[in-house]
Amino acid sequence: MASSSSLAPLSFSLSSELLPSESSRKPNSLSWSSSFPLLKISASSIPCPSNFSFYKKFVIEAAWTRRSRSEAAKKPNRKSWKQRTDMYLRPFLLNVFFSKRFIHAKVMHRGTSKVISVATTNSRDLRNTLPSLTDNDAARVIGKLIAERSKEADVYAIAYEPGKNERIEGRLGIILDTIQQNGIIFV
């Protein structure tokens, strides 16, 4: 950035040829802005100092302002601050699904939608060894597998967001407790 001694304010004089004549000053509308004279200023008529980029940058940065309420109302689908930043603050999300026959769980990276770890009772090794694929013991096995596989992928903190009417109890509570007991932190 330039020193304060080299910062001189932009100044230029308007010659009579740049001002509009009286005949061309007819207002186009009845608004207050139409009462101002139209000035025909070209870029060649303004002397540019050596540090003009500083002034240009200042004007461009000053032009960005906060949206008014009416502008925000025009775009109702804009996401909130939490919705926009949560995927970066808590990037790994646990997804658990219970079907009538199986239990599925996976840890995904929110930003890239990459699956970090998966465990399901429908896999060959669990399907043949577990007596029941949907009971509490199956939930404990799924929680332990998710924790181990997440640690292998260097993921030690995950988030879980329950659904709208979802309670953390029963098999879901067992899965979450088992994951936490095996060294994964919930954020």
Side-chain angles (χ1 to χ4, degrees), residues 153-174:
D154 290 332
V155 175
Y156 296 95
I158 61 175
Y160 179 75
E161 293 179 356
K164 189 173 182 182
N165 293 324
E166 188 176 22
R167 296 182 189 169
I168 299 178
E169 63 184 11
R171 292 179 296 170
L172 177 62
I174 291 172

Side-chain angles (χ1 to χ4, degrees), residues 129-147:
T129 58
L130 290 174
S132 172
L133 302 179
T134 58
D135 66 347
N136 294 347
D137 291 331
R140 283 187 191 89
V141 170
I142 292 295
K144 186 175 181 182
L145 282 174
I146 283 287

Side-chain angles (χ1 to χ4, degrees), residues 8 10 19 28 32 43 55 64 67 71 83 86 89 91-93 97 101 112 120 122 127 175 184-185 187:
L10 280 176
L19 293 173
N28 295 337
W32 64 273
Y55 292 107
W64 293 101
R67 296 188 320 152
E71 288 174 340
Q83 288 172 328
D86 199 37
L89 298 175
F92 299 103
L93 185 66
F97 176 72
R101 297 176 62 195
T112 60
T120 177
N122 195 17
R127 195 179 340 148
I175 290 176
I184 300 292
I185 302 167
V187 289

